[in-house]
Amino acid sequence: DVMNKQREIIYGFRSQIVSADQVRENLLEVVQDVIFGRTEDLDDDEESIAAFAAWVNSQFPIGFHPDHVVRKDGKRRGLDAEATAQAVYGRVGKAYAEKCMLEDPAQVNSMERFIMLNAVDTQWQEYLRNMDTLRQGVGLRAYGQRDPLVEYKNEAYTLFADLMDRIKGEIAGRIFRATTSPRAYQTFLGDLHRLA
């Protein structure tokens, strides 16, 4: 039952990608989820903000600096995590739109669909291997006076939540690394160097 419910969610997500005429909206929703998810753990200290800026710059070519975080009421203290996430997402959306203008228009939708399907498929396969390992080892929990079924359900839920996070993270990490042609990628990189 656990696997069937999870399979329904993944296959539903995958078939939504396959059947959509344009997947950019789905792609950008995933990117938004990833960005907002990262800001949930953002604290108002230099180390946390620097780590967030480093993560943003490792994922997206927007030149995010720790000073770009949004402060409540414009004050020096009081981080506004939601406004920061919205600002980052806005800049990512703008950079991605510029990147897409350099790509082959006939191939952009196929590229976006490939990014999403590849992330789902590779992560799902890894997840199924992990679930087989869990299924084989969960019976040993009975020796520790724990109900194997309850343990399996709890760990399966945790693994599935991690799976969804990994899928979304992989999609977000690939949108600026995939291209329809090497020439478009080189042009985009050249534009980034001029902006920096």
Side-chain angles (χ1 to χ4, degrees):
D1 287 347
V2 171
M3 285 300 293
N4 282 338
K5 288 175 186 171
Q6 294 175 352
R7 194 174 289 115
E8 284 175 19
I9 294 169
I10 287 293
Y11 290 173
F13 182 60
R14 192 179 193 287
S15 65
Q16 185 180 31
I17 296 166
V18 170
S19 64
D21 291 334
Q22 299 289 320
V23 295
R24 181 165 305 163
E25 185 177 318
N26 301 41
L27 184 80
L28 293 176
E29 282 178 16
V30 167
V31 171
Q32 185 177 28
D33 286 349
V34 170
I35 293 169
F36 275 77
R38 284 302 278 233
T39 58
E40 286 177 2
D41 300 329
L42 188 58
D43 292 325
D44 192 12
D45 62 70
E46 287 184 29
E47 187 176 320
S48 179
I49 293 170
F52 177 72
W55 173 80
V56 169
N57 290 323
S58 72
Q59 297 294 308
F60 314 111
I62 61 171
F64 188 81
H65 191 272
D67 293 339
H68 295 153
V69 296
V70 179
R71 300 289 179 177
K72 293 178 182 173
D73 302 326
K75 297 178 183 174
R76 189 130 177 88
R77 290 270 177 228
L79 175 73
D80 189 341
E82 188 173 333
T84 298
Q86 196 62 38
V88 169
Y89 176 68
R91 291 175 66 181
V92 168
K94 184 178 176 192
Y96 187 68
E98 290 175 15
K99 176 190 180 295
C100 288
M101 287 192 299
L102 300 171
E103 300 287 349
D104 180 358
Q107 299 296 319
V108 171
N109 192 48
S110 296
M111 176 190 74
E112 292 170 340
R113 191 180 316 274
F114 174 79
I115 291 169
M116 295 187 77
L117 290 175
N118 187 269
V120 170
D121 292 346
T122 56
Q123 293 299 328
W124 178 245
Q125 290 169 4
E126 180 66 27
Y127 174 77
L128 290 176
R129 285 190 284 275
N130 291 339
M131 289 301 288
D132 281 342
T133 303
L134 174 63
R135 192 176 314 120
Q136 291 169 2
V138 80
L140 300 174
R141 308 287 170 87
Y143 292 116
Q145 302 298 317
R146 291 187 273 176
D147 184 359
L149 181 60
V150 171
E151 291 292 312
Y152 179 80
K153 285 181 179 180
N154 290 339
E155 288 196 35
Y157 176 78
T158 302
L159 286 172
F160 189 73
D162 290 344
L163 166 72
M164 295 306 290
D165 289 344
R166 281 196 320 274
I167 287 172
K168 290 177 179 182
E170 189 172 324
I171 290 169
R174 287 187 177 180
I175 64 170
F176 287 101
R177 290 172 179 85
T179 186
T180 58
S181 73
R183 190 176 58 106
Y185 190 68
Q186 290 298 332
T187 304
F188 180 67
L189 289 177
D191 289 348
L192 283 178
H193 291 298
R194 270 187 305 222
L195 294 174

